[in-house]
Amino acid sequence: MSVALPSLARMRQAARESVSGLPRAYWWLWTSTLVNRLGGFVAPFLAMYLTVDRGYSASYAGLVGALYGLGGAVSAVGAGVMTDRLGRRPTLLVSQSATAVSVAVLGFVQHPVAIAAVAFLVGMASNGSRPAVQAMMADLVTPEDRIRAFSLNYWAVNLGFAFSATVAGLIAEHGYLALFLGEAIMTLLCAVVVFVKLPESRPVREEPTGAAATAAEPEVGLGTVLRDRGFMAVVALSFLVATLIQQGFVGLPVAMGASGLSSSDFGLAIAVNGVLIVALQIPVTRFIERHREPTRLLAGAALLIGYGFGLTAFAGSVAVYALTVCVWTIGEIINTPIQMGLVARLSPTHGRGRYQGVYVLSWSLAALVAPLAGGAVIDHFGADVLWAACAVVGTLTAVGYGALVRAVAAEKREGDGDGEGERDGVAGETDRPVAAG
């Protein structure tokens, strides 16, 4: 008992430290994220719905998934600009309302062309909220708390996902229409939370006068973002990581279905991803925050993700598939808060929407490329070749992160020589201005 009590006290203290100091508006944003993900039934089961329930090929399922990703890619940058110009709150409300309507329609359409077209609209609507959520989070939280805030939000995403994946697999056994309607209702509820509880957080640009005008943050355009070489390197590596993780929702369900496993089997295996993130995300983030150079962990995370999927080639049962999910999930847990914190620090105050939009674009393009590549590789070469390719991509990504860390370290040394210290090997304590676009 004397040993257990101090341990319990330490756990309670760690929990308090993990959630303390964040503003009330952040927690309402966190709540809206949780509600949204509790109802995220459709995307994880879309490929299995098309191949098992509707009888389409893996290539067609890959095409629909790619159109879903294309829709997200189209909206990512546009929603980023909208987030900066109109505000975070209007962007969230438009995106969530459109998602609720389009996902309900997707459950009723029958023609393959109609399914593909509506899937494009669902991807476009659902992805439109991501730049606004991430920009609002950066607005609300101080720089030193951002890794923790992004981690807690990602924890909410996966808490909801762990529930929705497990429940959706059971619901799908009795018909997929309930999945589409259930997600539509939960997304509308999320919009209600935003409308009632969340204030607008977009920073107000004050027009400086006199000497202050020369030090003001320049206007930020899309060209500014694209010319930011350090940021675009992060975006490129994010794309590779996202392409790998997407295979958990594209290649994995198709491969499990081809092995004779059911939708509920896939639901149980992939739910391990959410459960593990719920269990480990916060303690791992506390370790990351104490690490002197957290960006150095990104290469190891990429290897875990790539080789976790590579090990799927040896899976034949639900238990072994779940074990491979554990491996790449640990890499995801390490990668996500570091990368999102890095993006937030590289984003200037009045360009957060655009920067977040381009970052989200990397995930949207991955959602476009991964289904096409995964479906085609499985159809023509088999699933084992896909998993081997994942290991190769993970290795290349790790090499890229290693080069990024070295470049950041060199930049830091130059900054220290000029008297401009940096924090955690990413960016300065304040958001850095950039050249006008």
Side-chain angles (χ1 to χ4, degrees):
M1 183 66 70
S2 60
V3 176
L5 287 177
S7 177
L8 181 60
R10 285 195 297 269
M11 291 175 62
R12 289 176 176 173
Q13 181 181 359
R16 283 195 299 269
E17 291 174 356
S18 297
V19 302
S20 63
L22 298 173
R24 182 185 297 271
Y26 166 83
W27 287 112
W28 282 116
L29 182 62
W30 183 92
T31 301
S32 72
T33 298
L34 178 61
V35 171
N36 183 271
R37 295 311 303 161
L38 285 171
F41 300 134
V42 172
F45 285 86
L46 185 57
M48 187 166 278
Y49 163 68
L50 293 172
T51 55
V52 177
D53 188 71
R54 302 300 302 272
Y56 293 114
S57 67
S59 294
Y60 175 77
L63 173 63
V64 172
L67 288 172
Y68 180 95
L70 178 62
V74 169
S75 69
V77 176
V81 174
M82 185 176 173
T83 295
D84 281 339
R85 290 187 175 178
L86 300 183
R88 287 57 162 144
R89 189 169 178 267
T91 305
L92 283 172
L93 291 173
V94 169
S95 172
Q96 290 163 355
S97 300
T99 300
V101 172
S102 58
V103 80
V105 171
L106 184 60
F108 288 98
V109 292
Q110 300 292 323
H111 195 278
V113 175
I115 291 173
V118 177
F120 171 82
L121 295 176
V122 172
M124 188 173 179
S126 61
N127 207 47
S129 64
R130 289 182 63 188
V133 168
Q134 295 176 20
M136 180 175 277
M137 207 167 298
D139 297 338
L140 295 172
V141 178
T142 58
E144 59 269 20
D145 288 330
R146 282 182 187 152
I147 287 182
R148 179 162 59 100
F150 282 120
S151 179
L152 286 168
N153 193 70
Y154 197 63
W155 185 82
V157 167
N158 287 279
L159 178 64
F161 175 75
F163 170 83
S164 63
T166 304
V167 172
L170 298 175
I171 295 174
E173 294 290 327
H174 304 284
Y176 279 86
L177 180 59
L179 297 184
F180 294 93
L181 297 180
E183 179 162 339
I185 292 170
M186 294 296 284
T187 306
L188 281 177
L189 181 58
C190 181
V192 170
V193 172
V194 171
F195 182 78
V196 174
K197 292 294 185 179
L198 272 179
E200 178 56 61
S201 68
R202 181 178 55 162
V204 177
R205 180 185 290 273
E206 297 181 1
E207 294 298 331
T209 58
T214 59
E217 180 183 294
E219 293 289 339
V220 178
L222 286 176
T224 309
V225 185
L226 298 176
R227 290 194 298 272
D228 190 333
R229 290 181 297 175
F231 176 76
M232 292 307 296
V234 173
V235 170
L237 294 170
S238 169
F239 167 77
L240 294 178
V241 169
T243 301
L244 292 174
I245 292 175
Q246 284 291 326
Q247 294 306 328
F249 309 98
V250 179
L252 184 61
V254 172
M256 290 183 70
S259 298
L261 298 173
S262 68
S263 60
S264 60
D265 292 329
F266 169 67
L268 290 173
I270 200 63
V272 171
N273 173 259
V275 170
L276 204 59
I277 291 174
V278 169
L280 298 181
Q281 185 73 69
I282 293 175
V284 168
T285 298
R286 288 175 59 80
F287 166 77
I288 290 170
E289 288 184 310
R290 292 193 297 267
H291 203 277
R292 289 189 59 191
E293 299 288 348
T295 51
R296 295 184 184 277
L297 300 174
L298 290 171
L303 290 175
L304 285 170
I305 295 170
Y307 284 91
F309 279 105
L311 290 172
T312 310
F314 303 99
S317 65
V318 176
V320 179
Y321 277 114
L323 181 61
T324 66
V325 172
C326 287
V327 176
W328 59 260
T329 296
I330 293 172
E332 183 184 358
I333 289 170
I334 297 170
N335 174 275
T336 300
I338 301 174
Q339 188 161 258
M340 294 181 75
L342 179 59
V343 170
R345 287 196 177 280
L346 293 176
S347 305
T349 302
H350 296 284
R352 283 175 182 153
R354 289 173 174 85
Y355 269 71
Q356 293 290 351
V358 173
Y359 170 66
V360 170
L361 178 63
S362 68
W363 284 82
S364 302
L365 290 177
L368 169 63
V369 171
L372 287 175
V377 170
I378 289 174
D379 277 347
H380 294 94
F381 304 104
D384 288 352
V385 174
L386 175 64
W387 307 132
C390 287
V392 172
V393 172
T395 302
L396 295 175
T397 306
V399 171
Y401 275 125
L404 175 65
V405 168
R406 289 191 293 273
V408 167
E411 183 180 346
K412 181 179 180 180
R413 286 193 295 271
E414 293 176 4
D416 289 343
D418 295 336
E420 298 176 359
E422 304 222 9
R423 181 178 184 274
D424 290 341
V426 287
E429 183 66 28
T430 58
D431 298 294
R432 61 183 177 87
V434 294

